[in-house]
Each structure stands twice: as C-alpha cells, then as structure tokens.
C-alpha cells in the first residue's frame, strides 16, 4: 500500500510518542482494512509499538473475533461510534501487551451509503487502560473524496487521535485535518 508523505509523517510522530511513553497499540479495522497497522508498520522500529491487529471487514468477524455484541450492531448499526468503541475495547482486551487500541468502521464507497450514513462516514474509536479498566472514546466523522481518500483520511484521523491520546488529551474533540496526498 502506498501512503502519502503526510501519512508517513503522522505515523512517525505517533511512533516517537509511543516510544517516549512506552506505549504499544493494537488495531481493529473494518473500512480501513488494515491501513492503520500498515501505516504504523511502515515506520522503522514499529515493532516496538505495534502489537498487531484485526481486519474485521465482515460483521460476523466483529462479533466472533472481537466480541462485539450482536444486539449492539442491531440497535446502533455496524457503522456507529458504539460499535467502533466495542471493537477497540475487544481488541485491547484480547491483547494484554498493548496499552492502546484504535478501531474503525465506516463506508468508504463508492457505494453502500445511506441517507443516515453516507459514503465517507467513518466512526473511529480509541481505547486505553486506566486504573485496571479499558476506557474508550470515539468520534464520527465524514471524509470527503474517493474511496482511497476516505480510507487514507480515516487512517490520518486514527493516527492523529492516537497521538492526542498519548498526550493525555481526548481525541474525540480534536480538530481533524485531512492532509493532501
């Protein structure tokens, strides 16, 4: 997968923060299809802060592999902040050596959107461990452009959020900047 220079910079910035904080991340990805893990792994030394990840493109994989409750998917929809949070929580719970998780679910397009969830809608969740508990935060965003733009934009937001979380701030309220290719 070829990424933009902007994404390479975001990945390297996250890697430096992760090293400084002795943090390690696991991913749970649907619409980004492993793109977050791929972007992180493209940074030299990433084995120090990337523990691995799941690509749960199918709904059944979210349920079977990450423990996302079927009832949650039925009530909230698979593209929802609640499902993204459950994915992040499930990934972190299944990876005891990770301190943080990030998850994505969305509609990359060009088809598959609805009035309520148009193409470009992405829900991203971040999780970390605090006082023995897994804490999650999430955001729903809309990334403009082609399928490739949506995927790369979602990876950018995910990496920006990981860095923000490592800095002790809430990624759900951060400003999103989609850097061009």
């Amino acid at each position: 997968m070829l990424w933009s220079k902007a994404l390479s910079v975001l990945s390297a910035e996250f890697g430096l923060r992760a090293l400084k904080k002795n943090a390690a991340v696991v991913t749970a990805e649907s619409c980004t299809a492993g793109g977050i893990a791929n972007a992180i792994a493209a940074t030299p030394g990433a084995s120090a802060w990337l523990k691995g990840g799941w690509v749960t493109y199918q709904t059944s994989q979210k349920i079977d592999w990450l423990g996302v409750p079927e009832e949650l998917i039925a009530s909230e929809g698979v593209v929802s902040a609640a499902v993204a949070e459950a994915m992040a929580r499930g990934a972190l719970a299944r990876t005891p050596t990770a301190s943080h998780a990030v998850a994505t679910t969305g509609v990359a397009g060009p088809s598959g959107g609805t009035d309520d969830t148009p193409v470009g809608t992405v829900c991203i969740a971040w999780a970390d461990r605090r006082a023995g508990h897994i804490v999650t935060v999430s955001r729903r965003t809309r990334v403009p452009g082609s399928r490739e733009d949506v995927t790369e934009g979602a990876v950018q937001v995910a990496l920006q959020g990981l860095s923000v979380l490592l800095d002790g701030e809430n990624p759900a309220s951060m400003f999103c900047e989609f850097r061009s290719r």
Side-chain angles (χ1 to χ4, degrees), residues 2-181:
L2 296 176
W3 294 114
S4 68
K5 179 162 178 56
L7 196 56
S8 297
V9 168
L10 287 170
S11 178
E13 289 171 352
F14 165 70
L16 289 173
R17 281 180 174 86
L19 273 177
K20 183 178 178 182
K21 303 276 186 168
N22 197 27
V25 68
V26 62
T27 65
E29 304 181 61
S30 186
C31 64
T32 51
I36 300 167
N38 181 272
I40 293 170
T43 301
S47 62
W49 58 84
L50 177 62
K51 293 299 179 181
W54 285 267
V55 175
T56 57
Y57 213 72
Q58 299 293 316
T59 300
S60 61
Q61 294 168 332
K62 292 170 184 65
I63 296 164
D64 296 342
W65 297 355
L66 297 173
V68 176
E70 288 182 63
E71 307 78 36
L72 181 66
I73 293 171
S75 67
E76 299 292 326
V78 72
V79 179
S80 65
V83 168
E85 287 189 28
M87 291 169 63
R89 191 177 303 107
L92 194 54
R94 287 161 175 75
T95 314
T97 57
S99 57
H100 294 76
V102 62
T104 59
T105 183
V107 184
S111 61
T114 66
D115 288 341
D116 292 333
T117 309
V119 169
T121 301
V122 180
C123 296
I124 304 170
W126 299 268
D128 66 344
R129 299 179 194 277
R130 296 183 204 165
H133 300 284
I134 294 175
V135 178
T136 60
V137 294
S138 62
R139 72 178 301 143
R140 179 180 171 120
T141 193
R142 182 104 185 273
V143 182
S146 68
R147 181 178 182 82
E148 293 79 18
D149 293 335
V150 171
T151 301
E152 181 160 336
V155 172
Q156 286 183 18
V157 174
L159 289 173
Q160 288 171 5
L162 281 169
S163 290
V164 166
L165 190 61
L166 285 176
D167 288 343
E169 298 173 25
N170 184 349
S173 59
M174 72 181 178
F175 171 75
C176 289
E177 177 185 3
F178 302 110
R179 301 177 186 178
S180 61
R181 292 174 172 251

